[in-house]
Amino acid sequence: MTQSPLVLQQAAASVQARRRIAQWLPPTPCLPSKRVFEDGTGLFFKAENFQRTGSFKFRGALSKLTSLPVDQPVITASSGNHGIALSTAAQITGHQLAVVLPETVAKDKLNKIKALGVEVILHSNDSGLAERHARVVAEERGHTYVSPYNDAQIIAGQGTLALELLEQLPQIDNVFVSLGGGGLISGIGSVLKAFSPRTRMIGVSAINSAALDASVKAGKTVDVVHSETLADGCAGGIDEGTITLPLVSEVVDEFITCTEDQIAEGMRRIAWDEKMLVEGSAGLALAPWLEDQPRFAGQTSVIVLCGANFDQATVAPVLGLG
């Protein structure tokens, strides 16, 4: 199948990004499951939980900053993986960075970002309002605003994960990726559809916050009701006109939504079967494979474990530890 120029350009951007950031980004392991399958089934985990900063976001952060002049200040809004990753990357590249956080940000996250030496701006008690404020400040100061997902260079960085997968496995039938804003699956999907078009991309959403899934089905950005979810790294709406929408619409072969019980079971299976503690968004990626194992029998499937930056008080009860 011939891919569109958009997908091919994005895949090429990932190849270029990898050249720029390789010195700071050793490949993460692709681990075979500890479970034994007698029918030829292969189950692998791309372990971004072992990535520096604890999530895949470090890839995109490095890609974006290395694409900008060092004297170009940047600003973002994120109290989670993106903010921590961009702050860490700025230490490496030397960029001046400001991070806008809601006043309700967890103290440990606030302290972690402050400790990385970036400017912290506290604004409102809502992450959406904090993001809008960051865009206003960027305009006023002449800084570059960096979106967690709606940015071609961020997506290019996330796509470096797929370049590693192609070197780590001789054949990949399915790749399961959790869906938030779509930056991760856009990057991975663009690379795989360019270099391994037979590989099926499966995007997995939490039913409690499935904005991208609904937007793809509607063919435009739509608002959905957002409820609390264990996959909090995937929660929230998406930008109007985000570049991830056309990319995801083209590169993802199947969309699946999962319940909170299914996400929790994914987290438990990764903890007890694979001996790894991961955040809810990573458990989300495994959930549909667990629910429909016979469909993937005899195939090689990769679960992208997007990160391990979990809140202990949230995860402990899920694992029966508190």
Side-chain angles (χ1 to χ4, degrees), residues 163-241:
L163 293 171
E164 293 174 16
L165 275 180
L166 290 169
E167 296 169 352
Q168 291 168 326
L169 293 175
Q171 173 184 313
I172 307 171
D173 295 303
N174 312 292
V175 178
F176 294 79
V177 185
S178 55
L179 293 184
L184 179 59
I185 201 166
S186 291
I188 295 173
S190 294
V191 169
L192 291 180
K193 290 304 180 183
F195 296 108
S196 179
R198 65 175 296 280
T199 299
R200 286 178 52 80
M201 294 297 305
I202 300 172
V204 193
S205 300
I207 199 168
N208 282 5
S209 189
L212 186 55
D213 180 280
S215 296
V216 170
K217 290 170 181 173
K220 62 181 181 180
T221 305
V222 297
D223 293 324
V224 300
V225 175
H226 298 282
S227 304
E228 188 173 344
T229 175
L230 287 168
D232 56 344
C234 294
I238 59 174
D239 293 345
E240 182 72 37

Side-chain angles (χ1 to χ4, degrees), residues 12-22 59 63 66 153 156-157 160:
S14 288
V15 173
Q16 294 163 357
R18 192 183 191 193
R19 294 190 186 119
R20 293 197 310 272
I21 67 180
R59 296 176 181 272
S63 173
T66 56
Q153 286 299 338
T160 63

Side-chain angles (χ1 to χ4, degrees), residues 116-175:
L116 290 166
V118 303
E119 178 187 359
V120 170
I121 302 171
L122 296 176
H123 178 81
S124 79
N125 61 355
D126 177 84
S127 58
L129 293 175
E131 180 180 332
R132 285 196 283 274
H133 184 65
R135 293 180 184 273
V136 170
V137 174
E139 186 72 24
E140 291 173 347
R141 294 184 179 183
H143 291 189
T144 296
Y145 175 75
V146 181
S147 167
Y149 59 89
N150 186 13
D151 186 294
Q153 286 299 338
I154 289 285
I155 295 169
Q158 319 310 20
T160 63
L161 183 156
L163 293 171
E164 293 174 16
L165 275 180
L166 290 169
E167 296 169 352
Q168 291 168 326
L169 293 175
Q171 173 184 313
I172 307 171
D173 295 303
N174 312 292
V175 178

